[in-house]
Amino acid sequence: MASTREWFETVEEARRRARRHLPRSVYLSLVAGTEQGITLRDNVAAFSELRFTPPHGADLPATRQLVTSVLGQEISLPVIASPTGVQAVHPEGEVGVARGAAEAGTALGLSSFASMPVEDVAAANPKLFFQVYWSGDNDTILQRIERARRAGAKALIVTLDWSFSTGRDWGSPAIPEKMDLRTIVRLAPEGLTRPGYVLRWLRGGGLPDLTVPNMAAPGEPAPTFFGVYGEWMQTPPPSWADLAWLRQQWGGPFLVKGVMRADEARRCVDIGATAISVSNHGGNNLDGTPASIRALPAVADAVGTQLEVLLDGGIRRGSDVVKAVALGARAVMIGRAYLWGLAANGSAGVKNVFDLLRDGIDSTLLALGRPSVHDLCPDDIIVPAEFARGVSN
Ligand SMILES: Cc1cc2nc3c(=O)[nH]c(=O)nc-3n(C[C@H](O)[C@H](O)[C@H](O)COP(=O)(O)O)c2cc1C
């Protein structure tokens, strides 16, 4: 349980604390965003263009229902943790994310580039969805997903939107290949500015080793992130036939992440996907794509109830979740919000973020006169005329 001093009131306050706690290069890798950051900023800004149409009167619901389900798992609020590699953020790592999400009654996506083994993370939260990129040959991909299945993963997420763009106008942090003596010496000045961060790691058993254990070949030690990045860059992107093959191999609940167009959403229906996430990778991929919330209404219209539509990108408060659900999302996934919570206060900080979102959803439902998240509809939102300009159908 977070002490009163460690509890934070908003996601923005969690971000400020993350900036204070983390060495600059770690903080910058969480803020991320590519090139000018057009998409990164639009993901957040687009939510503030949407307005509510609340009733003003009596008969507001005394209690509100937030429980829903995603990919076959019941969750206590329509928000889950999106997969991210949480290298070097906090010694509790993905286990801390899993624990915080479990205490909040919700699920998490675990990146195949995570810093902790899927077995340990699934033990902390059985509502785990394992995420892969298209990297390596089919046998290698199968080995990775079978390991996740044995560990108890309840669903598979395949992320489509990554095109290896590099370069940020505000500068990319130099991410070391591994934590050897030379790296420690190079990073020492940064460490000195954040002694609390370094101490936290030393007390936790040592500095982050920057490996990706879920990408290891059977019986081999965990490779480094850059060790497997090359394999990924050399793998041709998947075709729809490849995705249909993966869907069939997995068999269970299957989410395609990174869909921004109605025609592609329909193709996900065709391959038998259970769910999609309308997403532009949090503005970390192609800069200049619209905010994901701008693409949501057309995608939701195109697929109706044929699959579960999720959204991620720019969620910072409960009212953002309500806007997304009203415009057709079954639930949303969050990335930076919980990473900042983790940096600020470990698993308690992750739970703190989910609790803030829960409170925000609840009070927005009350204001809108909606007894349940399932009652939200587009009539609750005023969408400006130009909101979806440039979004392709
Ligand atoms: C530091 C960082 C690492 C990420 N790593 C992954 C990843 O390994 N796999 C993936 O599918 N998405 C990854 N994402 C994207 C998130 O899953 C999600 O789409 C995005 O963060 C949502 O936007 P938000 O941060 O504004 O909530 C990452 C995002 C960040 C910020």
Side-chain angles (χ1 to χ4, degrees), residues 2 19 33 35 40 43 48 77 85 104 111 158-159 187 194 197 205 225 235 258 271 276-277 289 325 352 378:
R19 192 178 54 193
E35 299 199 338
L40 175 73
N43 273 350
S48 38
L77 76 171
S111 171
V158 57
T159 301
L187 293 179
R194 296 290 186 275
Y197 170 87
F225 176 82
T235 310
I271 65 162
I276 53 173
S277 189
T289 53
V325 173
N352 193 157

Side-chain angles (χ1 to χ4, degrees), residues 358-379:
R358 187 196 315 281
D359 291 349
I361 297 167
D362 187 64
S363 63
T364 310
L365 286 177
L366 173 60
L368 291 176
R370 296 292 185 200
S372 160
V373 285
H374 300 282
D375 298 324
L376 291 165
C377 67
D379 292 347

